[in-house]
Amino acid sequence: MYRLFFQLFFQRMDPEKAHHLAFRWIRLAARVPVLRTFVAAALAPRYKELRTEALGRRMHGPFGLAAGFDKNAVAIDGMTMLGFDHVEIGTVTAQPQPGNPKKRLFRLVPDRALINRMGFNNEGSAAVAARLAARNPVFRTTVGVNIGKTKVVPETEATADYVTSTERLARYADYLVVNVSSPNTPGLRNLQAVDHLRPLLTAVREAADGTVTDRRVPLLVKIAPDLADADIDAVADLAVELGLDGIIATNTTIAREGLGLTSDPKLIAETGGLSGAPVKERSLEVLRRLYARVGDRITLIGVGGIETAEDAWQRILAGATLVQGYSAFIYEGPFWCRAIHKGLAARLRNSPYATLADAVGADHKKVTS
């Protein structure tokens, strides 16, 4: 039914307008007590076998909402109501910014993909921190906070910019993510180079520890699928060296060739980050490489091209403790989380693994045993 609704309604709308409209409906539903209870019962059934412990948190399951959907932390309860086991807000920058000029979001429907060049449009870390401080949660969930560099801040001042956001937001984060991999902020991806990344992550860790003294806020870094294998290894080694809590693999790609894209060439040629089904293979490759390098020493989160329960299961077997999605939600609609959870539970029951944690990295363990 949703697919027909998408074809007849959403597909005819500008993608960004459609996003805001759907977002408004989700937020409104979450504000009505009886309605949100009914929706959560229908869309977010719980499976005991999927209970997950990661980053010091106990979650109903491993499947979360990737950053980019709820940039300003306005619909955490709404997205939890739809079944996401954790919600990563952002990307949030130290200064508020409007993002890039519109039109900046494009659907590649035949490829089940999106291209975005949003440019970290958000209200800024002070406003988001105030909203999180005032939040009275309806549903228990894990909230990740994804932070990035303000566009107007030069690369030489990037560390101070991230530290500002950390000092404002760390106390409200169940985990904190340093985003250095969006292609839509000039110079941002340069920060993935280890020489730049080491002082940045060190400063953010120190800022988080200095701001939040009653607990340790888990710190992760999000990387691009376009990194060369040697650079992936270097980031993995750095994460272990610095005692990071995790790596998120991966962000969107700037690649277009070799992905089998069949959409209108004019759409394919739009600049920005490509997400959705076409990045599935490369994101999985990066995840496998990371797990082979770090094993169980840090938490890996798999994201990029996850559409089905089988996709999520493959990420878990490849080494992901948690998995995330976003783009497929546009195409699959509100029953997506329900289908992912049902399918994951079935796969776990039919597998040789007693728990979901036992399945994490099982493919690599088979090869090396």
Side-chain angles (χ1 to χ4, degrees), residues 170-188:
R171 73 191 71 224
Y172 309 113
D174 292 319
Y175 67 88
L176 192 66
V177 182
V178 171
N179 185 350
V180 288
S181 51
S182 170
N184 300 317
T185 296
L188 184 74

Side-chain angles (χ1 to χ4, degrees), residues 328-350:
F329 181 53
I330 308 302
Y331 295 108
E332 295 294 330
F335 286 90
W336 186 41
C337 287
R338 180 187 175 100
I340 294 284
H341 287 115
K342 182 178 180 181
L344 274 179
R347 282 161 176 76
L348 180 60
R349 286 194 295 269
N350 293 324

Side-chain angles (χ1 to χ4, degrees), residues 293-308:
R293 197 81 176 182
V294 304
D296 297 321
R297 288 178 289 178
I298 62 176
T299 298
L300 299 179
I301 301 180
V303 57
I306 293 176
E307 297 185 282
T308 65

Side-chain angles (χ1 to χ4, degrees), residues 36-249:
R36 70 182 176 227
T37 301
F38 174 79
V39 172
L43 302 184
R46 303 304 185 187
Y47 295 85
K48 290 183 179 180
E49 58 265 51
L50 296 183
R51 288 176 182 171
T52 300
E53 291 193 16
L55 305 173
R57 298 284 296 181
R58 292 182 178 179
M59 308 180 200
H60 291 297
F63 187 57
L65 179 68
F69 195 90
D70 186 2
K71 295 177 182 293
N72 294 304
V74 296
I76 295 170
D77 282 324
M79 304 316 294
T80 306
M81 175 188 71
L82 296 183
F84 290 101
D85 300 313
H86 66 275
V87 176
E88 189 171 309
I89 63 144
T91 297
V92 184
T93 54
Q95 301 177 33
Q97 55 186 29
N100 291 322
K102 299 176 181 180
K103 188 175 183 182
R104 55 193 181 181
L105 181 62
F106 308 88
R107 298 190 202 94
L108 280 63
V109 178
D111 298 304
R112 298 179 63 78
L114 300 173
I115 291 175
N116 93 82
R117 52 172 179 265
M118 303 300 289
F120 289 169
N121 54 309
N122 74 104
E123 296 174 5
S125 56
V128 173
R131 182 170 292 118
L132 290 171
R135 180 172 174 257
N136 185 20
V138 174
F139 300 106
R140 184 183 70 84
T141 193
T142 295
V143 178
V145 178
N146 184 302
I147 58 174
K149 184 181 82 67
T150 306
K151 184 176 181 179
V152 298
V153 170
E155 189 177 321
T156 55
E157 299 174 19
T159 295
D161 194 64
Y162 279 93
V163 165
T164 296
S165 292
T166 301
E167 291 173 343
R168 291 171 176 167
L169 292 164
R171 73 191 71 224
Y172 309 113
D174 292 319
Y175 67 88
L176 192 66
V177 182
V178 171
N179 185 350
V180 288
S181 51
S182 170
N184 300 317
T185 296
L188 184 74
R189 286 192 169 193
N190 296 338
L191 299 176
Q192 291 179 112
V194 168
D195 289 346
H196 296 296
L197 194 56
R198 179 181 282 105
L200 170 60
L201 294 173
T202 299
V204 170
R205 177 74 272 165
E206 291 175 352
D209 290 343
T211 302
V212 185
T213 58
D214 59 340
R215 64 184 175 96
R216 186 180 189 278
V217 180
L219 179 63
L220 298 86
V221 64
K222 187 169 186 176
I223 64 172
D226 307 312
L227 285 177
D229 287 348
D231 293 326
I232 295 169
D233 293 345
V235 172
D237 292 344
L238 179 65
V240 173
E241 173 194 330
L242 297 181
L244 289 194
D245 298 273
I247 300 174
I248 301 180

